[in-house]
Amino acid sequence: MTREAGHALRQAFAAARTPDADPIEAMTRMILAAWTVGDQYRTLVALGQRELNREAILAGLAPAREEAVAVLRRDQDEGVFAGHLPAPVLAQALEALRPALAENAACMWADPMGESAAIASLVAAGVAPQRAVLQVQALVKRDRAAGDG
């Protein structure tokens, strides 16, 4: 199941990738893709944090994490994301943030598409809050319009 989740996450990242995306859009797409996969594997994620072999889960998600690290590293160098943490540490922190947001989304607030989680993650990565809100709203609106057309 862990391998399946890792494979699903890599596929979601591949589907979300667009060649002309700016750094914040690329990260937003990755966060929204991870949110969708995380929703499908919510139980596995919750058990992994508490009871299962955490190392096995981390290993299964390693390829997706490496992609996130590469995006963060490149764009930290350009000043898009905060440089107060090395990219691998920041990627792991953002990865740890998602289950906490998902757990609370299930019981305290509604975020079915992951928009609020994407905003929170972008802010945690060092993007100004207002810019994060505008980025996520614009991307979701554009994707919905493309899906309707």
Side-chain angles (χ1 to χ4, degrees):
M1 196 169 183
T2 300
R3 283 190 297 273
E4 182 181 314
H7 179 71
L9 187 57
R10 288 189 301 278
Q11 285 185 313
F13 277 10
R17 215 177 283 123
T18 58
D20 59 338
D22 66 55
I24 296 176
E25 179 181 336
M27 183 58 70
T28 302
R29 289 183 177 283
M30 290 173 69
I31 295 164
L32 292 173
W35 187 262
T36 302
V37 172
D39 191 45
Q40 293 171 344
Y41 293 95
R42 185 182 314 259
T43 302
L44 175 66
V45 171
L47 286 172
Q49 290 179 325
R50 295 181 183 101
E51 298 175 27
L52 294 178
N53 183 344
R54 180 165 165 72
E55 286 73 32
I57 291 174
L58 290 174
L61 299 176
R65 184 179 315 102
E66 289 167 9
E67 183 172 347
V69 168
V71 168
L72 286 167
R73 183 175 285 133
R74 180 190 71 223
D75 299 322
Q76 279 179 322
D77 292 342
E78 295 175 15
V80 175
F81 297 116
H84 64 287
L85 295 172
V89 175
L90 183 54
Q92 190 171 1
L94 294 173
E95 188 178 306
L97 178 61
R98 277 190 287 279
L101 292 171
E103 184 176 316
N104 287 301
C107 64
M108 299 173 96
W109 50 288
D111 193 20
M113 302 306 292
E115 295 167 30
S116 295
I119 292 165
S121 297
L122 289 172
V123 171
V127 176
Q130 187 60 28
R131 185 172 181 195
V133 168
L134 294 174
Q135 175 68 46
V136 172
Q137 289 174 344
L139 178 62
V140 169
K141 183 178 180 180
R142 190 168 62 239
D143 285 355
R144 283 186 184 143
D148 292 340

